[in-house]
Amino acid sequence: MNSRKIKTWAWVHKWSSLVCTVFMLLLCITGLPLIFHHEIGHLLGTEVEAPKMPAGAPRVSLDRVLDIAKSKHPGRVVQFVSQPEDDDGLWFVTLTPTPQATEDFKSVAIDARTGEVLAQPKFDEGFMYVMFKLHVDLFAGLAGKLFLGFMGLLLLVAIVSGVVLYSPFMRKFDFGTVRREKRPRLKWLDLHNLLGIVTLVWLFVVGSTGMINTWADLLIKYWQHDQLSSLLAPYKNEPIVAVNERASVQRSMDAAMQKTPGMKLSFIAFPGTSFSSPHHTTFFVRGNEPFTSKLFQPVLVDAKTAEVTAVPKLPWYLTALLVSQPLHFGDYGGMPMQIIWALLDIATIIVLGSGLYLWLKRGNPVPASPRAAAHEARVSGGTAQPEPASAMKVQA
């Protein structure tokens, strides 16, 4: 590679890195506790679990569950109902002033066997909520998500340009060389490059999945416009289904589960919400295998008649979104994978911090050979790493 190309790539690497570094550092720091959100929830006492009961214990009707939840918050409507992936003895009911509300919500956790209210968890406060919101949208809604997505794009540019620069920089050195005998800046430059290249694949995967996650709201809206609109054609001249006109939710769920044998319920979106239509109660079911448990299959049930009207396959872009979300946080392999993700996240924080250090110390000359100084000048002044960035979980 000639000197002109090296200079161009160095400029790309430096400025793409500098623009996104502070935000990537924030996302790395907030992403670290999110990797262990279940474990931290247990320590803080915020995780809700259903009491142990014999297998096959009778269950309360879902209609009764909803009545119990609404009695706790009169005047609100049920927006979503969900079950934890590993606990089908528990219902989480989300209630809002209107079906479209996003921020003003109340949650009620109800035992599926007894109908007992176990808790009214506050998911919109506390340490983990702050970490999640900073990580997902900087408390700025869709604009914050799209901004972080752009920072993720700059991060990928920084990674690619860093890889291009690494080869000429290390041509005269053995892989893994860290020159400890020189001044600190040279040592941190070598460490920055070494950690960056060692964690390259993970950094690219986590950075790209984080960027995809920031598009979740837009992808869902596009899916509704692109595919659901054709399914709603028969309802074109019909008014929105009123709450008092809806059929039994238990009967609707039974019909949905009969259409998808061997699958488990994940969550229910009620008419008018962002994951359903004005005329349907939509049931999202998932598989039982580690991979298929992350993929949702929607089942649209007529809210008035409790009849299944469509079981549409998710398009490729929503499948990619659903696959990227657990991969982003290391949710596929249990605790061992979470630990690996955390260690790589810490390595990323070191890379980002060392990049900032190299930039701030760029004016301090390092006494070294002309060849070494030239190599350093070509690649210093940038960072190349990502975050366990925004996971916007499709959740109810």
Side-chain angles (χ1 to χ4, degrees):
M1 187 183 298
N2 60 46
S3 59
R4 176 171 231 159
K5 287 185 178 179
I6 291 177
K7 185 176 180 180
T8 300
W9 279 108
W11 185 90
V12 171
H13 182 68
K14 178 177 70 174
W15 288 108
S16 61
S17 300
L18 286 175
V19 171
C20 72
T21 291
V22 172
F23 297 99
M24 293 301 104
L25 191 56
L26 171 67
L27 292 171
C28 278
I29 293 171
T30 56
L32 191 56
L34 292 176
I35 295 173
F36 301 102
H37 62 100
H38 284 305
E39 291 76 11
I40 293 174
H42 282 295
L43 290 175
L44 297 177
T46 57
E47 286 285 300
V48 182
E49 294 182 344
K52 299 296 182 183
M53 285 191 178
R59 302 168 70 86
V60 176
S61 165
L62 185 53
D63 296 301
R64 175 60 182 155
V65 169
L66 300 188
D67 288 339
I68 293 170
K70 287 187 285 189
S71 70
K72 295 294 180 181
H73 299 284
R76 288 176 174 258
V77 297
V78 177
Q79 190 179 56
F80 299 108
V81 176
S82 63
Q83 281 189 322
E85 185 175 340
D86 56 353
D87 190 353
D88 64 357
L90 187 64
W91 288 112
F92 281 102
V93 183
T94 301
L95 303 102
T96 51
T98 67
Q100 297 79 22
T102 57
E103 297 295 333
D104 183 9
F105 64 90
K106 303 292 184 183
S107 296
V108 183
I110 299 175
D111 191 310
R113 291 76 49 90
T114 65
E116 179 186 357
V117 175
L118 301 177
Q120 297 191 55
K122 296 185 180 298
F123 294 118
D124 56 350
E125 62 181 40
F127 172 74
M128 293 304 293
Y129 171 72
V130 173
M131 293 296 100
F132 180 77
K133 290 295 288 182
L134 287 174
H135 195 80
V136 169
D137 61 11
L138 301 175
F139 287 93
L142 179 60
K145 293 175 188 176
L146 296 179
F147 175 78
L148 291 177
F150 179 65
M151 293 298 104
L153 177 61
L154 290 181
L155 168 68
L156 299 182
V157 172
I159 292 174
V160 172
S161 57
V163 172
V164 173
L165 290 170
Y166 186 76
S167 178
F169 176 78
M170 292 302 295
R171 190 173 297 142
K172 299 299 181 180
F173 299 100
D174 294 330
F175 179 79
T177 298
V178 177
R179 290 164 288 178
R180 301 177 184 277
E181 72 280 2
K182 304 297 182 181
R183 292 181 62 182
R185 186 174 186 271
L186 198 57
K187 179 181 70 176
W188 278 106
L189 173 62
D190 290 342
L191 187 62
H192 174 86
N193 292 328
L194 174 62
L195 288 176
I197 207 68
V198 166
T199 58
L200 172 67
V201 174
W202 181 84
L203 296 172
F204 196 88
V205 168
V206 173
S208 58
T209 54
M211 182 176 66
I212 292 171
N213 288 339
T214 65
W215 304 337
D217 291 357
L218 298 180
L219 292 177
I220 292 168
K221 288 183 183 298
Y222 179 74
W223 172 63
Q224 291 174 324
H225 172 75
D226 180 48
Q227 294 196 0
L228 290 191
S229 57
S230 61
L231 298 175
L232 297 179
Y235 298 88
K236 183 176 181 181
N237 298 319
E238 292 192 19
I240 296 175
V241 179
V243 174
N244 59 2
E245 296 177 336
R246 296 177 188 174
S248 162
V249 180
Q250 180 67 53
R251 188 155 56 94
S252 298
M253 183 175 69
D254 291 341
M257 300 310 294
Q258 287 176 3
K259 287 289 185 178
T260 54
M263 303 189 81
K264 297 174 63 176
L265 180 68
S266 179
F267 72 95
I268 307 168
F270 284 78
T273 61
S274 57
F275 289 93
S276 190
S277 83
H279 310 282
H280 292 87
T281 303
T282 304
F283 296 81
F284 288 83
V285 298
R286 58 171 178 252
N288 293 304
E289 300 299 324
F291 180 74
T292 58
S293 67
K294 310 300 180 183
L295 301 177
F296 295 149
Q297 170 63 61
V299 182
L300 276 67
V301 180
D302 189 294
K304 277 188 176 181
T305 66
E307 295 179 357
V308 175
T309 61
V311 188
K313 293 293 183 183
L314 285 183
W316 66 268
Y317 50 85
L318 284 187
T319 299
L321 174 66
L322 292 171
V323 170
S324 72
Q325 289 171 344
L327 182 60
H328 185 72
F329 286 101
D331 283 350
Y332 280 116
M335 181 57 71
M337 192 169 181
Q338 288 175 280
I339 293 173
I340 293 172
W341 247 235
L343 292 174
L344 291 169
D345 185 28
I346 293 169
T348 298
I349 292 173
I350 295 174
V351 174
L352 291 167
S354 61
L356 283 176
Y357 169 80
L358 292 169
W359 171 253
L360 294 173
K361 293 291 185 179
R362 67 193 182 282
N364 295 346
V366 178
S369 67
R371 184 183 298 275
H375 282 307
E376 180 187 352
R378 290 168 188 161
V379 296
S380 62
T383 62
Q385 286 17 92
E387 76 297 21
S390 148
M392 169 59 194
K393 295 245 179 189
V394 177
Q395 60 183 347

